[in-house]
Amino acid sequence: MKLLRLLFALLSSRVSALIRPLGLCLLICVFFVSAAAADKPLLTPDQREAWKKSLAAYDYVTIARAYADYMIDYGRDTYGPKHSPLFVTGIDRKTGKRISPPFAHVKRKPFMPGWERDRELRGSDRNYGNADPLDQLTLLRIMHRLSRMTGEKRYAEEADKTAAWWMANTQTKIGLYPWGSHTYWNLDKDSGGGTFEFNHVWPYWNLNPSALQKYAMGLWDHYVADKKTGNFNRHANSNEHGPSGGMEFPWPGSAMIATWVQAYQDKPDPEYLRAIDMILNRWESLRDGNGHLAPCSSYPQWAWYVGYSLAANRLDDYAKLINTKDPTLANKMRAYGHKCDAAYLNVADDMLNIKGFGPVSSYLRATGKFNPDRLDMIGGPW
């Protein structure tokens, strides 16, 4: 089932957003290093020839190194009253400066019959010209990978500077951070806040364990609306208490659970185990008699396997970390994925080669059917 989940992760329009930035970063650097920063060429003629050979040879390590070098040299926060080691989202490749509004109009274009037509990217999902390390995790991970592959420690050190500064300087009074697709750290104002969403597991808590404890409890106190039922919403306010319910999606829920496991390892507070158990119970309450799980209580008619596969893989990984302390809870975490896998396999026979595209993962719970004219539904029921 790990292979099936991986397949969905690669094909999903939502989940592959976690993977595509790696390739995107490597491609972007081609434009970055081949352009001029202001009026000073970045490369000498000999270096340009060497660069062309690297591209022709698909030398991805050299390409990734060039991208990381460019971001370290030109992509840092040099704006506003206080400068920081944060990286800027969106840089003009011709000037080395951050891009500024008005931003380009962006639409999703259909690439095959039945795909969703011209849906405009929401302005609220853009943090161009500002900073959000949670959405920039691919860059930080590339830099750590470069250090492991090349032996040059400076790449990992530069990534850690960003992560450490963020954790020490941007945590709000309720323990959360201004990150997660809809908000960001405003580099001009040296502040941030807005619609919080926690989609990715943050891997740098070892640099600031006290921030982890504050954040983990902030999730429980200010992201979960009802501690008795586990009801939560993927959106909350990063700066003030104000959680709501009805949008208990698998990716923020599993990111919360992973964070509580991390916090429990550092400080074995039983409240973290209770929080994990409550979210798992909430999800089980959304499962029907045939094992099909609704993605949230606001979309009870749907099942959405690709979202579950992301959560299941996270839960499997983090169950290992608490298996010794609480094997019952660890087994409950693993059972989430097993049940979702079994339910999907019961209806999967007619979903694995739709118009030659691949598996369809969103379907109606009552019938196991989907709309073949809306293949965008492979990414989620909305």
Side-chain angles (χ1 to χ4, degrees):
M1 293 313 300
K2 282 281 189 179
L3 291 176
L4 181 60
R5 294 178 195 167
L6 177 60
L7 174 63
F8 276 110
L10 291 171
L11 293 177
S12 160
S13 61
R14 176 83 187 195
V15 178
S16 62
L18 309 178
I19 300 170
R20 282 197 303 265
L22 174 59
L24 181 61
C25 289
L26 300 182
L27 291 174
I28 287 174
C29 73
V30 174
F31 298 101
F32 279 157
V33 299
S34 62
D39 56 358
K40 181 181 179 182
L42 290 175
L43 302 179
T44 66
D46 288 344
Q47 288 173 328
R48 286 182 181 276
E49 286 302 313
W51 177 244
K52 290 179 181 178
K53 291 179 181 179
S54 296
L55 296 180
Y58 298 98
D59 183 355
Y60 291 118
V61 174
T62 296
I63 294 171
R65 188 201 299 263
Y67 170 62
D69 287 342
Y70 188 94
M71 292 303 294
I72 292 169
D73 291 341
Y74 298 98
R76 281 280 170 52
D77 167 25
T78 58
Y79 308 93
K82 298 179 182 179
H83 297 176
S84 76
L86 296 179
F87 288 108
V88 180
T89 299
I91 298 175
D92 187 321
R93 61 188 175 88
K94 295 181 179 179
T95 66
K97 301 296 183 181
R98 64 176 179 173
I99 60 175
S100 57
F103 302 126
H105 180 68
V106 179
K107 287 187 176 183
R108 301 176 185 174
K109 293 294 183 181
F111 63 87
M112 64 177 292
W115 194 259
E116 186 176 12
R117 305 287 175 171
D118 291 351
R119 177 176 173 182
E120 184 178 353
L121 182 67
R122 297 175 297 186
S124 60
D125 290 338
R126 306 182 192 188
N127 62 23
Y128 295 156
N130 291 288
D132 177 356
L134 191 66
D135 274 358
Q136 298 164 344
L137 269 180
T138 300
L139 169 59
L140 304 184
R141 286 170 171 157
I142 285 175
M143 296 172 79
H144 273 272
R145 180 66 63 86
L146 278 172
S147 286
R148 292 195 296 271
M149 294 181 69
T150 67
E152 295 186 45
K153 296 181 180 180
R154 69 184 183 94
Y155 291 113
E157 290 170 351
E158 293 295 336
D160 286 350
K161 284 181 185 178
T162 297
W165 191 95
W166 176 266
M167 288 184 287
N169 292 278
T170 69
Q171 194 163 31
T172 69
K173 63 184 180 181
I174 62 173
L176 304 182
Y177 287 97
W179 62 14
S181 300
H182 304 291
T183 190
Y184 48 81
W185 187 253
N186 188 306
L187 301 181
D188 292 315
K189 298 179 180 179
D190 292 316
S191 63
T195 301
F196 168 91
E197 184 171 359
F198 186 42
N199 292 329
H200 313 296
V201 179
W202 182 247
Y204 298 108
W205 295 118
N206 61 299
L207 301 175
N208 195 332
S210 62
L212 165 60
Q213 294 298 326
K214 186 177 179 182
Y215 184 74
M217 200 53 69
L219 292 173
W220 184 226
D221 290 340
H222 305 289
Y223 202 26
V224 177
D226 190 334
K227 293 183 178 181
K228 294 182 179 179
T229 66
N231 191 12
F232 72 94
N233 190 306
R234 66 190 179 105
H235 293 152
N237 189 309
S238 63
N239 293 40
E240 303 287 344
H241 179 77
S244 58
M247 300 285 273
E248 313 93 327
F249 286 110
W251 61 89
S254 59
M256 280 197 290
I257 289 174
T259 303
W260 290 327
V261 171
Q262 292 171 308
Y264 183 79
Q265 286 186 295
D266 181 62
K267 179 184 177 182
D269 186 339
E271 191 69 7
Y272 293 136
L273 302 183
R274 186 170 85 89
I276 294 170
D277 190 58
M278 195 56 61
I279 298 302
L280 294 173
N281 289 342
R282 181 67 179 185
W283 283 336
E284 285 305 306
S285 74
L286 302 178
R287 200 182 296 277
D288 66 16
N290 293 317
H292 300 296
L293 178 65
C296 64
S297 53
S298 294
Y299 294 99
Q301 70 273 36
W302 288 99
W304 184 35
Y305 181 72
V306 68
Y308 311 146
S309 65
L310 169 64
N313 287 337
R314 283 178 179 170
L315 296 182
D316 285 355
D317 291 340
Y318 283 87
K320 299 174 185 176
L321 301 180
I322 62 166
N323 193 67
T324 301
K325 292 288 185 68
D326 196 329
T328 300
L329 184 59
N331 286 334
K332 192 171 183 177
M333 291 168 65
R334 297 186 188 99
Y336 170 90
H338 296 164
K339 292 178 181 179
C340 292
D341 293 342
Y344 181 77
L345 289 175
N346 284 334
V347 298
D349 286 349
D350 297 326
M351 296 191 185
L352 296 180
N353 189 26
I354 306 304
K355 294 186 178 179
F357 181 80
V360 170
S361 64
S362 295
Y363 55 92
L364 292 169
R365 292 204 295 170
T367 64
K369 303 297 183 181
F370 62 95
N371 183 349
D373 295 324
R374 286 292 306 276
L375 294 185
D376 55 296
M377 303 306 271
I378 67 166
W382 48 84

